[in-house]
Amino acid sequence: AAVAAHEEGFHERKGGLRLSGDSSAAALTGDGHTGRQDLGGCLGWPEPHCAPFRGLLNHPALIPIVEDIVGKGYRLDHMPLVLRQEKGAEGFHLHGGATMADGEWDHSLEYSCRHGRVHTMLLGMTVQLTDVGP
């Protein structure tokens, strides 16, 4: 209901805004025309529409997992987006991996596993809001 109430805010990534426009992302091109749709501002929507999204920031089942990976005292780096992909839409890389466009290593996106624990300075989290079939 919250997303449906803000339907008019979705923006489709077209042309140069498509993330799958280069050859390194060929597997993510979809039908070659349909872009992913983005909707921002969900934390600032009026009640009750903002509540489910704000609740994810401090969900009791997620906090221990996030703290285990990034430590206590983590912060929200930027506002979250609601992403929607219609049939044929391009795919995307969540934060693209630990290399920059020129192939150099980006230490701020690095993660490691030491003594059986995962550590990172940046955690991208995705929560599926609808069922997805195979």
Side-chain angles (χ1 to χ4, degrees):
V3 173
H6 298 274
E7 179 76 25
E8 75 286 346
F10 273 106
H11 296 283
E12 183 179 352
R13 290 179 176 248
K14 294 182 177 186
L17 294 177
R18 285 176 45 87
L19 300 176
S20 58
D22 63 47
S23 60
S24 68
L28 302 176
T29 58
D31 63 16
H33 303 288
T34 307
R36 160 185 117 191
Q37 297 177 22
D38 299 344
L39 174 63
C42 57
L43 296 180
W45 292 343
E47 291 283 351
H49 298 150
C50 64
F53 301 98
R54 290 180 180 183
L56 288 172
L57 295 177
N58 64 354
H59 194 284
L62 297 176
I63 289 174
I65 298 167
V66 173
E67 287 182 345
D68 193 43
I69 295 171
V70 298
K72 290 186 183 253
Y74 59 88
R75 65 182 176 85
L76 181 65
D77 180 66
H78 58 78
M79 294 296 280
L81 287 174
V82 175
L83 306 177
R84 179 170 67 186
Q85 292 170 282
E86 302 292 342
K87 184 174 182 171
E90 65 176 345
F92 71 102
H93 295 286
L94 185 62
H95 283 286
T99 55
M100 295 181 276
D102 63 3
E104 290 295 315
W105 189 250
D106 186 346
H107 295 282
S108 67
L109 299 178
E110 172 184 31
Y111 73 91
S112 63
C113 185
R114 295 186 190 122
H115 308 292
R117 293 191 59 205
V118 175
H119 302 275
T120 186
M121 294 171 48
L122 176 67
L123 176 65
M125 186 169 76
T126 302
V127 177
Q128 193 72 35
L129 299 178
T130 59
D131 291 337
V132 176

